[in-house]
Amino acid sequence: MTETTDAVRSRSSLEGKTAVVTGASSGIGRAIAEVFAADGADVVICSRTLDDVESVADELADLPGTVEPVEADVTDRDDVAALADATVDAFGGVDVLVNNAGGGAGMAPTDEVDPETWDGVVDVNLTGVYNVSTAFADALQSGSPSAIVNVASMAGEYGVENMSAYSAAKAGVIAFTRSLAREWAENDVRVNAVSPGFIATEKLREGFGLDEEIERANADRTWGTPAEVADLVRFLASDAASFVDGQSVRITGTPNTYEAP
Ligand code: NAI
């Protein structure tokens, strides 16, 4: 039977769904919140400082979906439990969880990385994903299909020199994604990851002195945009990706261009 246009369009849309995006005060997380809310999803956004996510919620206030800011540090299990409660109280449940909060701690040879730095990087990038996923375990497995998308990194696929804590943590996120996909499949939760290459967030633009516009037209380039990652996350979060589970999808532009800019 031929499908209707509405059926095809509606399964790639997040309209009417409830989503949580961690680390949404800037960069990729902010772009994900924007794309989701533009698509009509209600989005709970968190970051360690309430002011930072409140200003993002204000900026996105005219989009069709509601954007609800919550202060939560993903390394703090009490914060994360409160984030899950606030989401369920506000919207009655959750359909999509995006574990995006994370980042590196600069570059240094491994034997010069102090244990506190190592622990901090693993805590936010890997343990944070465990903390938030398990806090939402009941809400995500409540009967209707749901999806987790974890923001990993090409560093986790590749193993970047002088970034071993970050690379190891992100490789851990990719393995965690596969494990959880197997565990929660029977309860209709799909779990996938994205592994971005170089994404021109404001922070990285500043750090690399990058000020040119990035054109979407040609994929053969070093830098991608936060919105391009957000579009991939939206696809994986949507019902259009119903047979995609336990994957880490690389987003690097044309293959073989993953080299330091
Ligand atoms: P960003 O620094 O602009 O955004 C990180 C967000 O996470 C911010 O909102 C920050 O406040 C939040 N955050 C940090 N620690 C947190 C914590 N403990 N609890 C709650 N929120 C916390 O950086 P960007 O680049 O947008 O990073 C987003 C994700 O993408 C990270 O997981 C990063 O590792 C990953 N990534 C970024 C790439 C890039 O080229 N920009 C490449 C590959 C992966």
Side-chain angles (χ1 to χ4, degrees), residues 86-99:
T87 304
V88 173
D89 286 351
F91 299 109
V94 66
D95 304 297
V96 175
L97 167 62
V98 182
N99 284 307

Side-chain angles (χ1 to χ4, degrees), residues 23 25-26 28 47-48 73-74 100 151-152 166 170 197 199 203:
S25 66
S26 61
I28 294 170
S47 184
R48 286 162 299 183
D73 181 333
V74 299
N100 166 78
V151 179
Y166 181 72
K170 291 298 194 180
I199 305 302
K203 274 180 208 158

